Amino acid sequence: MPRAEHGISRENISDNALKVLYRLNNAGFEAYLVGGCVRDLMLGLLPKDFDVVTNATPEQIKGLFKNCRLIGRRFRLAHIVFGREIIEVATFRGHHDPAADNANSLGKASEHGQLLRDNVFGSIAEDAERRDFTFNAMYYSVADFSVTDFANGRQAIEQRQVELIGNPEVRYREDPVRMLRAVRFAVKLNMKIAPGTADPLKPLAHLLANIPPARLFEETLKLFLSGQGKDTFVALHDYGLLEPLFPQLTPLLADPVSKEMQFVLTVLANTDDRVNSGMRVTPAFLYAAFLWYPLEEHAQKLQAEAGLSPHDAFNIAAGDILHRQTQRIMIPKRFSTVIRDIWMLQHRLPRRFGRRAYQMLSHPKFRAAYDFLQVRGETEGGKLLELTDWWTQFQHGEPGLQKKMLTSLRQKEGSSSKPKRRRRRADPAKGSSDAQ
């Protein structure tokens, strides 16, 4: 497609990406923008990042850029760093040849068909066949401003369809994360997953258990912190892809109107609003929400079966639930610590007598815990909603109002009435004081 047919302008391309393209071209290499950035530009969207592909090897790329670092074992990539922006540069991927002498050192697949090592280089045509979705196999050249469309990606965009290149089952087995990407793109781009691409999702969902937990953590950030988390969550649930990610939560979501489902959807909707308003969000809050009801259920079970106190049962359950979750999705300690804080404060928020209420306001995680309580109150109502309303007034109240609220609370709970002093019996031998 010449420039007149696709409408992509260099004004919408990162200056740093253009620098990379020009330098590679000037050094005698082919270089193209590829993947999501070309797709988004074709859709009239502003890409978040720009990926480059070239026939230069990673070592040749590094020789051209002082600000380059090579990363990855499974996929060897070059990252060219421009301050806070990183331009990712990959070498054209080729097809694996098991008969080649260096086949095992360059490319390797598991017994399930998952690619464990993929450093076989090839031509641009081979690279296009190795791309995942048809609309991601479009290449923009800064040399002549053309777009080469290898897999009818433009047609997929016009038909609003997410469609895999090649045999869907084989492609999912090569990299099961493609199942998550199919759902994410469908939601993000307001498209439908083509029937052939959608059919294997449920039967192959279990393959996600083979993905390293650290990689799945990064993927879940893209799924739930991109501004369409609620719709993405619902789609993942519909396609059977939640269970391998959150095996402790999924059994509680069988009823679409259950409190567990409503709680999670409300948290995701609030997160979407914050993301789309440019406000800060943290994965810790989401994970605390995803695992809250599994935590409550497990704590109650421990309390009943082991005879533990509510406090001990809750603490042990929190450790168990987080440990089980990290078997599937790795949660960095900086987030798991916050998750525990949010959970523990749910038990402290009802205790408001004396100085406790003032101490709670100064806790660094009070706001997160209060927001969490607020969604619980909206979901379950009753005493939780009353507690939420109390904290809403207390945190914004003047000192006089706060004092009055605590006094009223003591009177309501009956804690202000002092126990009656027992009268001492008079000693018969001494007689009463009146007698004396």
Side-chain angles (χ1 to χ4, degrees):
M1 289 180 284
R3 183 176 188 175
E5 291 185 21
H6 59 70
I8 294 177
S9 170
R10 281 175 293 172
E11 292 180 1
N12 297 322
I13 299 174
S14 158
D15 289 340
N16 294 321
L18 291 173
K19 288 178 187 176
V20 172
L21 291 170
Y22 284 128
R23 186 173 298 182
L24 285 166
N25 284 163
N26 291 337
F29 297 108
E30 297 177 55
Y32 305 85
L33 287 181
V34 69
C37 61
V38 179
R39 177 200 67 222
D40 288 351
L41 289 168
M42 295 279 286
L43 283 164
L45 304 174
L46 192 63
K48 288 187 176 180
D49 46 45
F50 293 85
D51 293 338
V52 172
V53 69
T54 177
N55 61 344
T57 65
E59 289 71 21
Q60 288 172 327
I61 298 167
K62 186 172 178 61
L64 289 174
F65 298 91
K66 292 181 179 178
N67 53 334
C68 174
R69 62 182 182 220
L70 301 183
I71 66 161
R73 293 181 181 177
R74 179 169 171 267
F75 296 117
R76 194 75 167 148
L77 297 169
H79 276 183
I80 304 182
V81 183
F82 296 91
R84 303 183 76 173
E85 184 179 16
I86 295 176
I87 305 300
E88 188 171 277
V89 185
T91 305
F92 293 144
R93 302 292 172 193
H95 294 303
H96 292 229
D97 180 7
D101 294 337
N102 58 353
N104 288 332
S105 63
L106 298 179
K108 184 180 179 182
S110 73
E111 60 185 26
H112 303 289
Q114 181 181 340
L115 291 178
L116 304 176
R117 192 179 302 119
D118 187 16
N119 290 308
V120 179
F121 303 139
S123 65
I124 185 173
E126 289 177 304
D127 187 82
E129 291 177 358
R130 296 291 313 282
R131 297 278 154 185
D132 47 12
F133 300 99
T134 56
F135 50 45
N136 284 345
M138 294 187 290
Y139 296 69
Y140 173 81
S141 169
V142 78
D144 60 6
F145 314 118
S146 67
V147 171
T148 305
D149 181 1
F150 283 90
N152 295 321
R154 188 176 190 178
Q155 182 180 335
I157 289 175
E158 292 170 353
Q159 295 177 349
R160 314 298 297 181
Q161 278 202 331
V162 178
E163 187 170 9
L164 274 169
I165 298 171
N167 183 310
E169 182 168 341
V170 173
R171 302 312 305 278
Y172 287 145
R173 287 187 180 278
E174 285 179 350
D175 186 2
V177 168
R178 286 173 179 152
M179 294 186 280
L180 302 180
R181 286 165 60 83
V183 172
R184 179 162 63 87
F185 288 145
V187 174
K188 173 186 174 182
L189 304 173
N190 192 26
M191 295 181 176
K192 291 184 178 180
I193 303 178
T197 300
D199 290 343
L201 291 176
K202 284 186 179 180
L204 298 180
H206 67 277
L207 294 175
L208 286 168
N210 300 327
I211 300 299
R215 186 180 177 203
L216 282 182
F217 177 75
E218 296 300 325
E219 290 299 325
T220 55
L221 297 187
K222 299 174 187 176
L223 291 169
F224 302 125
L225 296 181
S226 298
Q228 302 96 15
K230 179 182 176 182
D231 291 340
T232 302
F233 184 90
V234 172
L236 289 170
H237 185 256
D238 291 344
Y239 284 112
L241 297 174
L242 268 187
E243 198 280 331
L245 299 178
F246 300 100
Q248 301 174 100
L249 170 65
T250 310
L252 305 180
L253 305 178
D255 182 356
V257 296
S258 65
K259 67 178 181 181
E260 292 86 355
M261 178 66 90
Q262 297 311 308
F263 178 68
V264 169
L265 292 182
T266 302
V267 169
L268 285 165
N270 293 345
T271 301
D272 289 343
D273 289 342
R274 292 179 66 88
V275 170
N276 295 323
S277 300
M279 301 172 69
R280 193 175 67 87
V281 295
T282 172
F285 195 89
L286 274 186
Y287 276 89
F290 290 160
L291 301 174
W292 171 251
Y293 285 110
L295 166 64
E296 279 204 324
E297 185 181 76
H298 187 43
Q300 290 167 8
K301 185 178 179 181
L302 286 175
Q303 200 174 335
E305 295 181 356
L308 297 172
S309 68
H311 181 267
D312 289 344
F314 191 83
N315 280 334
I316 293 172
D320 289 347
I321 293 294
L322 282 173
H323 175 72
R324 292 174 189 172
Q325 183 58 52
T326 54
Q327 303 302 301
R328 293 298 177 92
I329 301 175
M330 188 273 293
I331 304 175
K333 189 174 181 179
R334 66 183 185 276
F335 297 128
S336 63
T337 302
V338 177
I339 293 170
R340 280 181 173 272
D341 284 342
I342 292 172
W343 286 345
M344 297 306 174
L345 290 179
Q346 299 310 297
H347 280 209
R348 287 180 57 186
L349 284 166
R351 305 170 189 168
R352 295 159 284 172
F353 298 121
R355 300 294 304 171
R356 287 178 177 175
Y358 296 108
Q359 291 169 350
M360 182 63 68
L361 287 181
S362 62
H363 195 287
K365 294 297 178 286
F366 166 76
R367 184 67 202 189
Y370 164 77
D371 289 343
F372 197 86
L373 175 69
Q374 192 170 38
V375 183
R376 289 178 62 210
E378 292 172 7
T379 304
E380 299 187 34
K383 290 186 177 181
L384 278 178
L385 195 56
E386 292 178 12
L387 181 62
T388 303
D389 292 341
W390 191 92
W391 277 109
T392 302
Q393 294 182 53
F394 187 80
Q395 66 178 304
H396 299 298
E398 297 293 328
L401 175 62
Q402 291 178 337
K403 188 174 182 180
K404 190 179 292 185
M405 288 178 69
L406 290 172
T407 301
S408 174
L409 183 65
R410 282 194 296 269
Q411 293 172 346
K412 182 178 178 182
E413 299 293 330
S415 63
S416 63
S417 56
K418 298 179 181 179
K420 293 183 179 180
R421 295 179 63 184
R422 297 176 65 184
R423 294 182 63 184
R424 293 176 60 187
R425 282 185 182 178
D427 189 337
K430 293 183 178 180
S432 67
S433 58
D434 290 340
Q436 291 177 349

